[in-house]
Amino acid sequence: MEIRWILLGAVGVGVALVLSSFLGFFEKRVDYNTQIKPLLNKNCIVCHGGVKKAAGFSLLFKHEALAPAKSGKLAIIPGDADGSELIRRLTLTDPDERMPLDHPALKPDEIELLRNWIDQGAEWGDHWAYQTVQQPDVPKIGTFWSRLGLVDNEETNWARNEIDQFILDKLKQDGLKPSPEADRATLIRRVSLDLTGLPPTEKDVAAFSADQSPGAYEKVVDRLLQSPAYGERWTGMWLDLARYADTKGYERDPGRKIWRYRDWLIKAFNSDKPFDQFAVEQLAGDLLPGPSGGLPTDDQLIATGFHRNTMTNDEGGTQDEEFRTAAVLDRVNTTWDVFQGTTFSCIQCHSHPYDPFTHDEYYKYLAFFNNTRDEDVTSDTPTLRFYKPADSLKVLALQQYIAHAAADPKQAQNSIRQLTYLLRTVEPKINSHDFDQYVNASLLDAKYFGFQDKGSCRINDVTLTGRPRLLIRWGTKATNATVTLRQDKPDGPILAQMPTPAPGKDTIQMIPLPQVQGRHSLYLSLSSPEKPKEWVQIKWVAFIPVLPGQPLNSPGEQDKQLLDLLNADVDQTPIMLDGSGDLARETHVFDRGNWMVKGKKVSPDVPKSFPAMDPKLPKNRLGLARWMVSREHPLTARVAVNRFWEQLFGVGIVETVEDMGTQGIPPTHRELLDYLAVEFMEGDQWHVKKLLKRMVMSATYRQRSNATPELLAKDPFNKLLARGPRVRLSAEAVHDQALAVSGVLSHKLYGPSVMPIQPDGIWQSPYDGELWQQSTGEDLHRRALYTYWKRTAPYPSMVTFDSPSREFCQLRRLRTNTPLQALVTLNDPVYVEAAQHLASYMLAHGRSPESQIQAGFRQIMLRNLSPKKLVILTRLYQNTEQYYRQKPDEARKLLDCMDVTPQRAALTVTANTMLNLDEVITKE
């Protein structure tokens, strides 16, 4: 009997163990990313993270969390919650021992969640956004037979593409249904504003309404995608990201001619340049291989203006190296913000508190950008130079001369490339702020080196091998002064004695040097006995090879031709170029982010939490850019898709467009985001127009924006997208729409920025005498993206409608609704003028005030006013007409034209009021 009971007991225990294991298999697993990581970030990471590691314990990385703390105890023992110090400290009652210290205790269910997670093995996990994008399965909707098209079903009838299947699947989980499609007038206005930034015309609406074919809407979308206005609209969005401005920023905020970069963007969007190429050219166009081994194309160089939009400080007394470094830091942060949607900037000072990036990794990444040639000089160099036609012929003649004078084709090719590089960029050169060992010398106004009689300086460590020509840009008011160039020491061998240029403007001169091998320090000394107190200013020097066929000891005819071209008056635009050889820089970690306290030396590399760079890629900006757009990269496509989605729907799938990291708002439709990212990379081959077309063709996008009481109760912010987007127009669209509906909008493309009407007194920057020179002709009525942008005094009506100053990258405009916005549309001269022209249109298209008002509203909104609103606006017209009958002088002030009548003035006020209506400045 005992044996039998023992056997039965053993069997029972075995069954219990098997059963418990079986049930454990189905036990709900605790997810690190969605359940544990937010809990740790909220309660623990402040003291035990990248910034602060109290008690030698950090929860930022798995290897740190599982390592012994300073006490030697293990905070987390996978599989053993009871033995883990973390659980013990969370459950203590002594406030001096219990964690989190000096904060409320965790709730019992939160501790239980942590306990279960540890007992299940404390599995770590990468944040979803840092995992390589995998294409999810598209949810099935409707019934089996409806999916085959054999029977009708409201779900399959509603859906237009895969986007709708993801949206519908989520709606069903929350007991919601999508909204019907918007009426045609509303839909064409919505898609026109979204794709081109301009409203459709009445003719467009009539044609769309009359076309009852199944592909009518698609025809509209295709037409809009081919419109030149499409590129302008999306360029307007990108200018915020590129922190584009027509000035340099900081105190003086002087002008900068970089409008060619804006034109490059318009052309890139209109030509549907693939987004991967679009990104590579902006980040590293200067490093792309050029045609036949020459320079990159002008377009590729202009594209690098993306990172030349950084601010330059021309204020006297500043250190150029400090602000050069500030520009490099800005480029690192902006690259991550724009293309990676990640808060990388905080690891400038310390390891990331919440995401898996360490302090050192910031500077390894910065090393990709640290060799750029711009150095916060007032000339904004390096620039790409554009010669006038006559000078362009001289450049061509010089190239042809070299082709014939060179000893062999290879030498000719190298010499032509060096010559072209020099003529188009005036690089490589040494800026004079790098001179040192001053004697009777100074950095004049903290900008360029200057010395007086018996003054001297050193140019340190210059390679002279094969470079026996000195180019020097300098100027002075001194007469009969001489500068002596010596080798290796102040009294070393004389390499050249150079008479200073005639008093006047700065000039570039060429000085022949003897053939010297190796790297040497060079010393400049000045003898100026006639005017010893006059400064001789040097802006830069360059050491270059001799042109083929030119004499060694004196400038030849072709040398003089070269000098004439270097001194020519040319248009220029800032570009990125890298330095090499003598001009290459070392990169060090900045202790606590302080650029003056340099730590260990680092080499270019990417964060270890991301896929490694392909070893075949160069460790420069080009290699970095190609790594960023590789299929394995987890962020670039997701971030791009999310940004374009946000532009159409008002809110991104991840609302925090600027932060997809662990502190960002989780995606509302993560699988949809990943699906679109994969399709963007693979199906669309990075073509933005295909991506946008997929979005706007969806039934999700086409829904009515009306919010029913049920939708407002269950989804007040429309996160589940059970209704169409209703979003206030951007500053640019509000402006452009007013000009378009009033018939004055110029459709001129490209060119320098313009200065439309702006009130006096806006520009009051110190130390800068520039004035707002109001444009004339059609330049007065160009689209908003062409408006001259001064960082310290942006165009006021744009700023009122939430446009940023563009001193730094702006990833997302947070929409506001303030009385100032109404004051802009009612009083700004641009909108008053638009109302005047709209009133003329209304006069011509109606006989009675009611019909004129209806005509004006149809011109704006493409539909008739409701009877109630028509009554209100008619009453406004009548009261205003009576006012202007009594005060004709006020009518003349308003209209400022010969044909002044009370009726026209009253219609102008009514038109102005209509332009201010909420439905007009809103995309419905």
Side-chain angles (χ1 to χ4, degrees), residues 477-495:
K477 293 180 181 178
T479 54
N480 295 324
T482 302
V483 172
T484 302
L485 178 68
R486 296 177 182 268
Q487 179 183 322
D488 295 330
K489 49 187 179 178
D491 58 352
I494 295 175
L495 299 181

Side-chain angles (χ1 to χ4, degrees), residues 296-471:
T297 65
D298 281 6
D299 279 351
Q300 289 168 336
L301 291 168
I302 291 169
T304 64
F306 174 77
H307 270 326
R308 287 305 313 280
N309 283 312
T310 48
M311 296 193 294
T312 302
N313 196 340
D314 286 355
E315 182 186 355
T318 61
Q319 285 196 41
D320 288 343
E321 178 61 13
E322 177 183 359
F323 288 95
R324 182 199 74 82
T325 302
V328 175
L329 294 170
D330 176 81
R331 286 168 191 154
V332 172
N333 301 340
T334 298
T335 302
W336 276 86
D337 286 343
V338 172
F339 296 103
Q340 317 288 250
T342 299
T343 55
F344 200 66
S345 56
C346 59
I347 62 171
Q348 174 188 341
C349 300
H350 49 70
S351 293
H352 204 294
Y354 307 108
D355 291 317
F357 308 120
T358 63
H359 183 47
D360 288 6
E361 287 176 334
Y362 186 91
Y363 295 94
K364 291 176 182 178
Y365 197 92
L366 181 143
F368 287 110
F369 294 90
N370 199 32
N371 277 322
T372 50
R373 288 293 304 123
D374 61 298
E375 296 180 349
D376 200 66
V377 289
T378 55
S379 57
D380 237 4
T381 57
T383 58
L384 183 64
R385 296 154 56 89
F386 297 89
Y387 289 95
K388 294 178 174 63
D391 288 331
S392 294
L393 292 175
K394 293 179 183 178
V395 172
L396 183 60
L398 203 51
Q399 292 170 333
Q400 291 173 341
Y401 162 80
I402 292 174
H404 291 96
D408 57 68
K410 185 175 181 181
Q411 185 196 9
Q413 186 180 29
N414 289 338
S415 296
I416 290 173
R417 191 180 190 285
Q418 290 174 349
L419 172 74
T420 306
Y421 190 74
L422 177 66
L423 285 172
R424 295 303 306 279
T425 68
V426 195
E427 291 290 344
K429 62 177 180 289
I430 301 169
N431 288 306
S432 66
H433 61 200
D434 289 326
F435 298 176
D436 60 10
Q437 296 188 8
Y438 291 4
V439 174
N440 200 24
S442 177
L443 204 57
L444 302 179
D445 197 23
K447 294 178 176 65
Y448 297 110
F449 171 81
F451 51 176
Q452 297 172 316
D453 183 44
K454 296 183 174 58
S456 64
C457 69
R458 181 183 70 166
I459 311 174
N460 191 38
D461 215 13
V462 180
T463 297
L464 296 176
T465 305
R467 300 160 72 188
R469 286 284 194 269
L470 166 65
L471 292 177

Side-chain angles (χ1 to χ4, degrees), residues 878-896:
Q878 293 167 343
N879 293 339
T880 309
E881 184 191 13
Q882 184 179 1
Y883 172 83
Y884 283 123
R885 284 186 186 280
Q886 298 170 356
K887 298 188 176 182
D889 288 344
E890 292 297 315
R892 279 189 284 273
K893 286 181 185 178
L894 172 67
L895 295 178
D896 192 28

